[in-house]
Amino acid sequence: GILTYVGVYVLWWQRGYQTQDSVEGTIVCKLKGSASDPLNPSARFSSRVWDAADLVEYTANGFFIPTSMLVTTQGPGYCTAGNKTSDLRMEGVWTESCNGNFSCQEGMRTFSGTQTGKCITDGSKKTLRDGGKAGKFGICSGGSRKGEACFGNDDKSTCAPGGGKCYGAFCEVKSWCPIEMSVPNASQKVSFNGFEDFSVFARIDVMYSKFNLRHNNVPDGEGLCSLDDFEDGECEFPNQFPISTLLERANVSIEEAMLTGAEIVVSAVWSDTGDAEAYYCDLDHDDWRTNCKPYLTFRRLDDPDPRTFSHGYNYRSSRVFSDQGTDHRDLRKLTGIKVLFIVEGQGGRFDAMITGTTVGSGLALLSVATLVSLN
């Protein structure tokens, strides 16, 4: 029994005759495609076509492709800092709502800019209450209590004498103006329709440094090999797939990608058994380069639960331009798909010392078992 255990399980099944090394790898990605938003109400964007050079940002071992963006064209000036997220500010995130109880501080730097000390009544929108939570403060717009503090749409009494209404009030800031989403039409939503048809080419270079062996998924004589064709046996090394396949296999809908974005990891597991769970390539075979292939799996990293605060993936960037000698900028909130590739796997080659150690351990175990049985 012990001989069977050592010979079959340890030496053969566990490859006890080989020394092993974890694969090291890196990814080079290239994307191609085009997107447009022909139904956009703005002529600036409805006639525009974006290609990979416009949209795709390459990162270490991955890339980011936007699915939509919010554009706010801004110039230097003075404006109010209020926008639809101001309710959060009263909870300690930002402090740019104001009234007699919450004054603005001249010179105070905030996320929106530098406050001038003025509190500006925004008569275009009332204050809010969401789900019973505390809304932002406001100021009575008129009547005998004009300028006095009020609290939300539910405040029916403070401003009532004289017919006043409770409107939002926000600190004035010196900043890039208008603030994103602060006034109607300040920000323009753009959808990159067709992003899901972008093609991803991923060259995966790997090395087993202990054995000084290199490999990749674009061997000599091989061209593009789509993931579907690879799985159908029509080509040998997968290196190409569309964004739509990436989303489908990571269980992310196109609509969700457009709305919130997502973070997706692509695992390239090198195996010679046709099984991504094997994580192993036998490098003793003469044809190991043919047998050892990457098997791609896709999974979403961020929490898709819509109740999760700030789920998905987005960030802001700007592009500055000059207009009649004055700097302006397009503030862009980009929502999209962030993709990260990781390389996994192990390889092994025959090692006489390892084999001797394994056999010696088996013989020692056999000797101990013999002594035990004699006693």
Side-chain angles (χ1 to χ4, degrees), residues 99-110:
N99 61 19
N101 298 327
F102 199 122
S103 60
C104 305
Q105 302 178 38
E106 183 178 0
M108 180 179 177
R109 290 183 293 272
T110 70

Side-chain angles (χ1 to χ4, degrees), residues 5-327:
Y5 168 77
V6 173
V8 176
Y9 181 75
V10 178
L11 274 176
W12 178 69
W13 184 257
Q14 293 293 321
R15 303 177 192 267
Y17 59 91
Q18 291 183 328
T19 184
Q20 299 180 2
D21 188 24
S22 296
V23 69
E24 302 170 2
T26 187
I27 313 292
V28 177
C29 294
K30 297 179 181 180
L31 276 71
K32 292 184 178 181
S34 62
S36 62
D37 191 5
L39 299 181
N40 194 290
S42 171
R44 175 188 176 189
F45 300 115
S46 62
S47 59
R48 176 81 184 272
V49 174
W50 292 266
D51 60 16
D54 298 314
L55 298 182
V56 180
E57 298 181 21
Y58 296 101
T59 62
N61 286 342
F63 61 87
F64 168 76
I65 180 169
T67 59
S68 64
M69 71 175 175
L70 189 69
V71 182
T72 308
T73 301
Q74 301 171 313
Y78 297 87
C79 48
T80 59
N83 64 26
K84 69 176 185 178
T85 63
S86 294
D87 280 345
L88 292 176
R89 302 176 186 183
M90 294 311 299
E91 298 174 6
V93 182
W94 290 351
T95 55
E96 297 178 87
S97 297
C98 57
N99 61 19
N101 298 327
F102 199 122
S103 60
C104 305
Q105 302 178 38
E106 183 178 0
M108 180 179 177
R109 290 183 293 272
T110 70
F111 290 166
S112 298
T114 302
Q115 293 184 2
T116 66
K118 297 180 181 180
C119 183
I120 308 297
T121 302
D122 185 353
S124 66
K125 51 183 175 290
K126 294 183 178 181
T127 57
L128 303 176
R129 274 182 179 270
D130 294 322
K133 296 181 181 179
K136 59 181 177 289
F137 285 97
I139 290 180
C140 294
S141 64
S144 60
R145 295 186 176 179
K146 181 179 179 180
E148 292 188 19
C150 56
F151 192 74
N153 292 344
D154 293 343
D155 189 344
K156 304 297 185 182
S157 58
T158 304
C159 303
K165 295 182 180 180
C166 186
Y167 283 108
F170 307 95
C171 295
E172 183 184 62
V173 292
K174 181 180 180 182
S175 182
W176 291 99
C177 296
I179 302 299
E180 182 183 84
M181 296 292 290
S182 60
V183 295
N185 302 320
S187 304
Q188 181 67 50
K189 177 73 175 291
V190 180
S191 298
F192 297 119
N193 298 295
F195 79 91
E196 69 275 13
D197 296 323
F198 271 63
S199 174
V200 180
F201 168 73
R203 190 189 79 211
I204 309 173
D205 296 307
V206 297
M207 181 177 184
Y208 298 94
S209 56
K210 184 180 290 187
F211 312 123
N212 195 29
L213 295 176
R214 293 174 173 81
H215 197 18
N216 61 53
N217 64 334
V218 193
D220 294 340
E222 294 285 343
L224 291 176
C225 174
S226 73
L227 185 56
D228 288 339
D229 287 346
F230 168 73
E231 292 175 347
D232 291 339
E234 298 179 12
C235 53
E236 296 298 325
F237 292 86
N239 52 39
Q240 186 271 337
F241 53 85
I243 293 293
S244 57
T245 295
L246 178 145
L247 294 176
E248 179 183 359
R249 300 198 179 197
N251 295 316
V252 179
S253 68
I254 293 177
E255 293 76 15
E256 189 175 10
M258 295 281 283
L259 182 62
T260 65
E263 296 173 307
I264 296 175
V265 64
V266 182
S267 297
V269 179
W270 289 79
S271 170
D272 59 7
T273 65
D275 181 5
E277 300 297 326
Y279 287 83
Y280 200 86
C281 287
D282 189 341
L283 306 179
D284 283 329
H285 290 293
D286 292 337
D287 56 353
W288 72 268
R289 292 183 181 276
T290 301
N291 297 331
C292 189
K293 304 174 183 180
Y295 293 84
L296 306 183
T297 59
F298 305 80
R299 60 183 184 274
R300 182 173 184 172
L301 291 181
D302 64 296
D303 190 343
D305 188 339
R307 296 170 296 180
T308 304
F309 180 73
S310 189
H311 73 291
Y313 188 83
N314 66 74
Y315 70 94
R316 287 173 175 82
S317 67
S318 67
R319 289 181 176 177
V320 178
F321 61 92
S322 180
D323 184 8
Q324 298 181 352
T326 302
D327 283 344

